[in-house]
Amino acid sequence: MSQLGWFGRPASGGHGQLGWFAAHPLPDVSRETDDQVDDVAEDVSRETSTAPVLTVVPQEAQLTEPIDEAPTEPEVVSRETLAPVVELHDSSRSEEPVSSEDATLIDALDDEPFVPRETSSPRVVERFPLPTETRIMTIANQKGGVGKTTTAVNLASALAAAGLKVVVLDLDPQGNASTALGVDHHSGVPGMYEVLVEGRPLAEVIQQCAEAPDLWCAPATVDLAGAEIELVSMVARESRLQRAVAKYFKALKQAGERRVDYVLIDCPPSLGLLTINAFVAAPEVLIPIQCEYYALEGLSQLLSNIELIQEHLNPDLAVTTILLTMYDGRTRLAAQVVEEVRHHFGEQVLRSLVPRSVRISEAPSHGQTVMTYDPSSSGARAYLEAAREMAQRGVHEELVAAGDAGVGAPPAVADPWARWTDGRVTRRGIASKEGEA
């Protein structure tokens, strides 16, 4: 019997060409050696037959009748020659007595929620400062896909979690902000179309969000797509949203209800009448900029339109906040865009950078923002840091005692953020800092 080897030169002779060749033949195994192997196997089976063997068989698969026939030789080798099996005991069913101190410790561990190692930071109680008056901010950029809706809903969720009352006005006919906040916005539900076209009060269409008791949203339905055409022939078409918001604030004050701290208006990716209504209604503009070249290319047109609104319709309008989104620290282009934007706009640009995050994209499919979907993700921490910075930049006053409906009461719990994370995530996220996103 011979064994085939791989390419090479034969050990002796041959023409020196590469190919298969016969390797050294294996030594023949004599019959006496086979008999010795059989004797050893019989001795091993005889010695191990007395050792206890534990065979795990499902209860429904156990045999009900004994087998009279002797097992064949292969079964003897496969079952009787196995090494002894050590039975595993369940520590929870141990008959050993447990001391009272150990029992107390076990009960305490069972009651505490599981805390992953990545989110085991201490719990921080925090409230954002209250503004001296309601801040109305329009989130606009005529380029699509830069994160306008994502920025609106996540900033609103973060501000509401910090004890502020926030209202989101969805002016985008696609209704993505309403979807992310879990608000019903199918056809037939009253929304921003009825407010702008039919003059319905804002208080009748606004809905409370499930994420936080202080988070509200006025939804956008499919009917809003035709609102721009219908607004063309109306009187004072550019200021209809402004009057609706003013009436809403007046109604809250007359009813003695808590005032609104922030109003965030989500605009469509265009510069039509819906966006113009948002510019007229708000004194502040927040521009999300994607960290790519195309996002910078259309920024000059947006700023030109804002200047026209300042001259003719709203002299108080100003770009106060710029947020850089979809930052990818692995690319040199993203760093260059950040440098250019910071160079031209200076202090208007938030220090926080929103990184590219799969969790941010997944959250709307569950009817949530990333703040509640995955509070420990880099995207949630980035938006939390941006909301904190935005709140601290505005004019604010010291916190007052509870019960004053004019400036709002503290949240029902010490830390609303703990409702979502069970105290497992720190409020001081650092993932959004530049260079660490």
Side-chain angles (χ1 to χ4, degrees):
M1 180 178 180
S2 61
Q3 182 183 11
L4 294 179
W6 187 238
F7 287 100
R9 188 181 301 275
S12 60
H15 300 284
Q17 297 180 354
L18 295 178
W20 292 93
F21 66 92
H24 296 287
L26 295 175
D28 295 334
V29 180
S30 60
R31 187 181 303 276
E32 297 178 358
T33 305
D34 295 338
D35 297 338
Q36 294 176 359
V37 173
D38 295 338
D39 296 339
V40 173
E42 293 178 0
D43 295 339
V44 173
S45 63
R46 190 179 305 109
E47 293 176 0
T48 58
S49 60
T50 59
V53 179
L54 177 62
T55 304
V56 180
V57 181
Q59 185 175 2
E60 60 273 14
Q62 294 181 357
L63 300 176
T64 57
E65 298 180 2
I67 300 177
D68 297 336
E69 299 179 358
T72 60
E73 183 175 354
E75 291 184 351
V76 172
V77 174
S78 60
R79 302 186 64 171
E80 296 186 2
T81 60
L82 295 176
V85 178
V86 180
E87 183 179 1
L88 299 179
H89 297 278
D90 190 357
S91 58
S92 61
R93 300 181 180 179
S94 176
E95 298 179 358
E96 298 180 0
V98 181
S99 62
S100 60
E101 297 180 357
D102 295 340
T104 304
L105 179 59
I106 292 174
D107 295 339
L109 292 177
D110 292 340
D111 295 337
E112 293 183 357
F114 172 73
V115 180
R117 183 173 300 176
E118 294 80 1
T119 59
S120 58
S121 50
R123 172 175 163 184
V124 179
V125 178
E126 179 183 4
R127 281 195 66 197
F128 291 168
L130 295 173
T132 54
E133 59 183 6
T134 302
R135 297 183 63 182
I136 307 175
M137 307 184 69
T138 295
I139 303 175
N141 194 332
Q142 83 278 7
K143 185 183 183 304
V146 298
K148 293 186 298 297
T149 300
T150 302
T151 299
V153 297
N154 287 290
L155 288 180
S157 182
L159 292 171
L164 302 175
K165 186 175 181 180
V166 185
V167 173
V168 177
L169 304 181
D170 191 359
L171 285 186
D172 191 352
Q174 301 178 48
N176 292 333
S178 304
T179 301
L181 295 176
V183 175
D184 191 11
H185 62 98
H186 62 81
S187 181
V189 175
M192 291 305 300
Y193 172 82
E194 286 74 13
V195 173
L196 295 176
V197 178
E198 300 178 0
R200 182 175 295 191
L202 189 60
E204 296 182 5
V205 304
I206 205 168
Q207 301 181 32
Q208 188 176 17
C209 303
E211 288 194 2
D214 294 331
L215 182 58
W216 302 77
C217 176
T221 59
V222 183
D223 300 333
L224 193 60
E228 291 193 0
I229 300 176
E230 299 183 35
L231 287 173
V232 171
S233 59
M234 292 186 178
V235 179
R237 57 190 180 186
E238 299 90 356
S239 59
R240 296 183 69 87
L241 180 61
Q242 181 189 30
R243 294 196 302 271
V245 173
K247 291 180 181 179
Y248 175 64
F249 291 164
K250 184 178 179 180
L252 289 178
K253 186 176 181 179
Q254 292 177 350
E257 298 183 8
R258 177 184 174 183
R259 76 165 194 191
V260 178
D261 298 313
Y262 282 86
V263 176
L264 303 181
I265 306 175
D266 182 31
C267 297
S270 64
L271 296 177
L273 280 175
L274 293 178
T275 304
I276 293 176
N277 268 269
F279 284 152
V280 175
E284 299 184 52
V285 178
L286 188 154
I287 303 178
I289 299 178
Q290 185 181 5
C291 294
E292 292 186 3
Y293 174 74
Y294 286 147
L296 294 178
E297 194 175 30
L299 189 58
S300 59
Q301 182 182 0
L302 176 62
L303 297 177
S304 300
N305 285 34
I306 292 176
E307 291 179 359
L308 292 176
I309 300 296
Q310 291 173 341
E311 294 177 3
H312 303 285
L313 297 173
N314 186 7
D316 297 332
L317 185 64
V319 179
T320 60
T321 308
I322 294 178
L323 178 63
L324 294 166
T325 61
M326 303 182 189
Y327 176 78
D328 190 351
R330 301 170 298 178
T331 62
R332 185 176 301 176
L333 174 62
Q336 292 176 351
V337 172
V338 172
E339 183 180 357
E340 289 290 333
V341 173
R342 293 191 188 281
H343 175 72
H344 286 88
F345 296 97
E347 295 298 327
Q348 295 172 323
V349 185
L350 296 179
R351 295 188 303 270
S352 304
L353 301 176
V354 179
R356 289 188 177 272
S357 173
V358 178
R359 295 299 186 186
I360 295 178
S361 303
E362 292 177 350
S365 63
H366 298 269
Q368 295 177 311
T369 64
V370 73
M371 313 303 298
T372 57
Y373 178 68
D374 190 357
S376 62
S377 63
S378 60
R381 296 183 179 184
Y383 276 114
L384 175 63
E385 189 71 21
R388 180 189 298 111
E389 187 178 355
M390 187 176 68
Q392 293 174 351
R393 285 187 174 192
V395 180
H396 54 271
E397 58 190 11
E398 298 296 331
L399 299 178
V400 297
D404 189 351
V407 296
V413 294
D415 184 11
W417 190 261
R419 282 190 305 114
W420 302 334
T421 63
D422 296 329
R424 296 178 300 188
V425 180
T426 178
R427 299 295 293 273
R428 288 283 177 184
I430 61 175
S432 61
K433 295 291 186 181
E434 185 175 358
E436 300 181 10

